Amino acid sequence: MAGVALVSSIMMTYKGGRVYLGIGSDPFGRDLIVGTWIGIPTAIAGAISAYMALYGRGWNFFRVTSIVLMAANLLVPLSWIIMSLTKSV
């Protein structure tokens, strides 16, 4: 579940981020809205589900995979913060 959330939020962030930075064009702003209002909460939900998957497990393959997926999902909202800082400069 965390992997699917990661892939879908990256796809939404990529299209919305291009519009936000002015690289791509979207006359109605749909990609930007989907990237911010749906992509960021999807990534946060993926991070929560990855955390729930690692909770109470010993150090094995599943715990390491969950930690990697949780960190990767949290990088999506961080990318929006970096994009907003980049655009304001």
Side-chain angles (χ1 to χ4, degrees):
M1 187 169 169
V4 172
L6 176 65
V7 171
S8 61
S9 63
I10 286 174
M11 289 173 51
M12 289 183 265
T13 297
Y14 178 74
K15 288 185 80 174
R18 289 179 56 85
V19 172
Y20 181 72
L21 292 175
I23 298 169
S25 65
D26 184 20
F28 300 110
R30 291 177 293 196
D31 292 333
L32 182 61
I33 291 171
V34 167
T36 55
W37 292 3
I38 299 173
I40 293 172
T42 302
I44 292 172
I48 291 170
S49 66
Y51 175 76
M52 290 172 59
L54 72 87
Y55 187 74
R57 289 191 183 266
W59 283 99
N60 57 10
F61 174 75
F62 294 111
R63 185 176 180 110
V64 173
T65 304
S66 295
I67 290 171
V68 169
L69 282 172
M70 183 175 66
N73 273 304
L74 290 175
L75 286 175
V76 173
L78 181 65
S79 70
W80 279 100
I81 293 170
I82 291 170
M83 280 191 287
S84 69
L85 292 173
T86 303
K87 188 167 181 170
S88 65
V89 170

